[in-house]
Amino acid sequence: MALDWLFYWMTQPAGLALIAVAVALPFIVWRIVLGQAFRRIGFKPLLAAYALAAVGLLVANFSSAYIEFSARVADKLLTEAQRWDTLPGWTIFRLFIALVFVLPLLGLVGVPVAALLLKLRRLTVKTMVAAVLASWLTLVLVAWAIPTNDWDRDHRLESLTMWLTELAPGVLLVGLPFLLGVYLASRSYRHAET
């Protein structure tokens, strides 16, 4: 695969350190955005958010690897007997590659949005769904606006449709659980008197 070097680098000490920094920095952002409200909220909602997002990311990557493996079995490129020897490795590989995109997006978009909505007491199911939809459409439009190959440049409508369908599961399985973690773990703050 073309991203083997990235996977290798990310599993080395420098790559793991960068992952740790990408996870730690959002906690600072969380603290800053919440300001005085942090005393009553703490880090519990953010920890819950990352835990649920991690489960969602694992599910998304396992599902993707499973579908890819099934397609290769259908094309007679792999045998069914290889499925459970191959899927865990593919899932972990895809998970590490996805972290390159997911951690910065959660840290730069998810954390400040969730903290601000929570601080303003506007974190509701409706605002969570709206934030996830807005994030999904923004990611799609950014990816679509920057064609990376001739096919994307020549087939604009098909490219848009591809980005809409490709990014939907990831945003749904990572972004929504992230906000849901904040929502569930901040119940006492959201229901407290102002």
Side-chain angles (χ1 to χ4, degrees), residues 31-83:
R31 174 68 178 91
I32 291 169
V33 172
L34 285 177
Q36 294 298 323
F38 176 78
R39 289 185 192 149
R40 294 179 44 210
I41 297 169
F43 286 121
K44 182 181 172 186
L46 189 56
L47 291 170
Y50 271 110
L52 289 181
V55 170
L57 185 62
L58 184 62
V59 168
N61 283 289
F62 176 79
S63 300
S64 174
Y66 192 91
I67 290 167
E68 176 68 23
F69 190 92
S70 296
R72 291 186 186 193
V73 168
D75 292 341
K76 298 190 184 335
L77 298 171
L78 295 170
T79 65
E80 186 62 42
Q82 297 172 292
R83 183 176 299 272

Side-chain angles (χ1 to χ4, degrees), residues 85-152:
D85 292 333
T86 306
L87 278 181
W90 282 11
T91 301
I92 297 302
F93 179 85
R94 289 169 183 252
L95 186 68
F96 267 85
I97 300 304
L99 287 176
V100 171
F101 305 101
V102 171
L103 287 178
L105 284 171
L106 286 179
L108 297 173
V109 178
V111 170
V113 167
L116 188 60
L117 288 172
L118 186 58
K119 180 180 177 179
L120 299 174
R121 297 182 185 272
R122 300 271 191 247
L123 187 65
T124 64
V125 172
K126 184 189 263 185
T127 59
M128 290 187 313
V129 170
V132 168
L133 284 173
S135 298
W136 172 55
L137 292 174
T138 301
L139 287 171
V140 166
L141 291 175
V142 167
W144 180 67
I146 307 167
T148 57
N149 57 41
D150 289 336
W151 187 88
D152 282 337

